[in-house]
Amino acid sequence: MWRPRVKPEHRPVRHGTDRVRIGGIVPGIAADIRDPDGWVWALLGLLDGSRVVDQVVADLVHRFPTHPADEVREAIVDLDRAGYLEDAAEPAPTGLSAAELLRYERGLGMWRWMDRAAWSSSWKTQLLLRRSRVVVIGIGGVGCTAALDLVASGIGRLHCVEPDVVELSNLNRQILFTEGDLGRPKVQAAVQRLKEYNSDIHITGEQHRVDGPAAIRELAASSDVLLLAADEPQHIRSWANQACWATGTAWVHGGYHGPLVNIGVYRPSVGGPCYDCAYAAEREHIAAQPKRTFWTADTSPPHAASAVSAGIAGHLAAHAVMSLITGVPALRVNRQFGVSLVTLQDCYALGPDAPHPGCPTCGPHRARHR
Ligand SMILES: [Zn+2]
């Protein structure tokens, strides 16, 4: 029987005599509760996992007769729905080996901390990851880091797609490769290295250059989430968008523009707007601005990237992939997110709130891609 307990990571604190803060200091989790007569604080004290709900209610009503049992039960339900409670009487998890329980023990605390859904099982997130299939297109700087994060976190199956071989100029950021890999196909080196990190995971790869939406559609159809970690050819994000909208596959893109790191997170099953909507909206915004004149000097710098810029993009992309798989945390979807490494305080979320009426992918004309 359920013995509700406040999650240790969400430990409440009483401020003065009339306010309780639960969830610590983390934005998106913390909440303030007004509590002038102290009954909420008393309730949280009873939610220590030593009592079933009926006992909690009886004890609280005895101490605070002005708060009827129904109100107390409702408060417990609200705390549970907000993700603050777990079950102290939860049986030992099934479906994970002793080695898996040990390997992912520290991750459990993170999932529990970020999970704002009503309680079900402490290991549900890990089990959802283990059943998942992810394809990563592009094993460059972003793809290396993201693939490693996904493998370390315990996803079920990973398929890597990448056409190139390892070059010396890759080694400042593509963390799966070593000097001994120079000249090897990246996908071959990456699969080998990833298996060394976690032999429990089914990891495959193909040396292949994606050349259009059809090729991506095939990859998307066999995966739960597609991660696009390549920025070439020019329209590859739109191709991925079309492919994933056609198959209904959730997808993420990760990249950077110098020190501006960004990801996009999309779930077609909830409807638009999609990546192409955002692209169309951006073009319209630019067209409405005063005409821009670009400096014409012939200075095209080399591709600017570091282990930090590519790595942070990869970490954020892997985080978004796992959010789409597990719902933890429940990130806003159909949006792009970014952060400037120059200030570390200019984070942004971009994208229209509704589908673009002329969008060829998720709008009225989308049938042409199916
Ligand atoms: Zn669209």
Side-chain angles (χ1 to χ4, degrees), residues 137 210 216 228 230-241:
I137 299 176
V210 168
I216 301 179
L228 179 66
D231 55 6
E232 292 179 334
Q234 186 186 357
H235 299 296
I236 194 166
R237 283 187 182 171
S238 187
W239 294 350
N241 188 55

Side-chain angles (χ1 to χ4, degrees), residues 269-292:
S269 62
V270 302
C274 71
Y275 173 83
D276 288 333
C277 291
Y279 190 69
E282 175 65 12
R283 275 182 310 186
E284 287 179 357
H285 172 74
I286 290 171
Q289 301 301 308
K291 183 175 177 298
R292 299 186 299 178

